[in-house]
Amino acid sequence: MTSPAVAAYLAERPGIVIPIGATEQHGPDGLIGTDHLCPEAIARRFGARDGVIVAPTLAYGMSQFHLGFAGSISLRPSTLAALIQDLVASLAATGFTRIYFLNGHGGNLAPLRAAIQEFYAARSFAGVTEPCPVHCRVRSWWELDGVDALRKALYGAAEGYHVTPSEVALTLASHPDHIAATDRPAPPPLADMILHGGDNYYDAADFRRRFPDGRVVSDASLATRQHGEDLLALAVDDLAKDFFAFCRSV
Ligand SMILES: [Zn+2]
């Protein structure tokens, strides 16, 4: 888009969607780009359909615990937070008042939320008396209502925490030429993993020790391209509802 086109858009609509993800190993099943390709595919399809501006995707995220595997590239938590603060401040300075982050990687959430609070903290500590007109929303694509229901129905406990069948299915739909549709390996035996309850990770060496092939309690061999098409369609509808409600909120 040109700058005048963005200015004209802002006269009609206050909001923008920013897909944010990561570039990190996804075991033997998934693409390294999975976590940014998924929110990007959802946001781009929504933006094109409903005439909403989608910012360039943030392809790098906070993935330090994946650095034991080739191809992973991480920002530090403080680097990601600094980047987000500058993006929010830039969009606020140029007239956007509803900034919607569509997230594709759990490790981003803490730095992302901290950065947004830093943006607001600058006003609060300065004693600004006008309520900030700029609102930010963070939503991970798998939390969207219809998507969450379908992925649980399709995969149950096999959804796991990393290299999930839902994210692999979504990339099968969005990037069919880049990932094998069949012949993905069976899940790693649970006995090979040293579990610690959920998705609270430590350093890269600890992650690799616990999860030798990079997958965390997930069975992406269940993923199909049709699942991905269904998840994508639901995600676009869910995102539309959530984004427009956010834009109307006071
Ligand atoms: Zn992922």
Side-chain angles (χ1 to χ4, degrees):
M1 295 178 76
T2 62
S3 178
V6 176
Y9 172 92
L10 280 167
E12 304 293 324
R13 280 191 174 154
I16 186 167
V17 177
I18 307 179
I20 173 172
T23 298
E24 65 183 38
Q25 68 85 15
H26 274 71
D29 303 75
L31 300 173
I32 285 169
T34 299
D35 287 4
H36 70 264
L37 297 173
C38 290
E40 179 172 75
I42 297 163
R44 296 256 164 251
R45 190 179 285 193
F46 162 62
R49 188 190 75 177
D50 289 9
V52 168
I53 292 183
V54 177
T57 301
L58 283 173
Y60 300 114
M62 207 299 283
S63 305
Q64 61 80 14
F65 38 86
H66 290 296
L67 289 176
F69 293 87
S72 300
I73 301 173
S74 181
L75 304 177
R76 291 159 202 260
S78 55
T79 309
L80 177 59
L83 184 66
I84 296 295
Q85 280 184 66
D86 289 355
L87 290 181
V88 170
S90 299
L91 290 167
T94 56
F96 285 93
T97 56
R98 292 294 181 275
I99 302 170
Y100 189 113
F101 289 93
L102 186 66
N103 177 53
H105 172 53
N108 290 342
L109 288 168
L112 180 53
R113 292 202 167 111
I116 290 167
Q117 287 302 310
E118 290 282 359
F119 171 75
Y120 294 123
R123 294 174 60 96
S124 302
F125 280 100
V128 176
T129 53
E130 285 295 307
C132 184
V134 178
H135 294 183
C136 299
R137 179 158 172 74
V138 174
R139 198 87 164 128
S140 296
W141 65 264
W142 58 84
E143 299 173 324
L144 295 165
D145 293 341
V147 173
D148 193 41
L150 180 58
R151 73 191 182 103
K152 284 173 178 159
L154 287 172
Y155 308 125
E159 174 76 343
Y161 297 97
H162 182 60
V163 198
T164 63
S166 61
E167 64 181 352
V168 171
L170 227 152
T171 57
L172 283 168
S174 63
H175 294 77
D177 298 337
H178 290 77
I179 183 168
T182 57
D183 199 28
R184 282 185 310 283
L190 271 180
D192 285 1
M193 291 184 261
I194 307 167
L195 301 176
H196 52 61
D199 55 359
N200 183 29
Y201 303 127
Y202 306 111
D203 69 356
D206 185 76
F207 186 99
R208 180 126 198 180
R209 174 178 72 96
R210 292 176 186 276
F211 311 110
D213 80 352
R215 296 177 288 180
V216 182
V217 205
S218 60
D219 182 1
S221 69
L222 300 174
T224 70
R225 187 173 171 186
Q226 186 58 51
H227 291 166
E229 294 288 357
D230 295 344
L231 287 162
L232 189 53
L234 279 172
V236 169
D237 288 343
D238 283 349
L239 175 60
K241 276 185 221 141
D242 200 43
F243 176 79
F244 289 123
F246 173 58
C247 286
R248 288 189 302 270
S249 66
V250 292

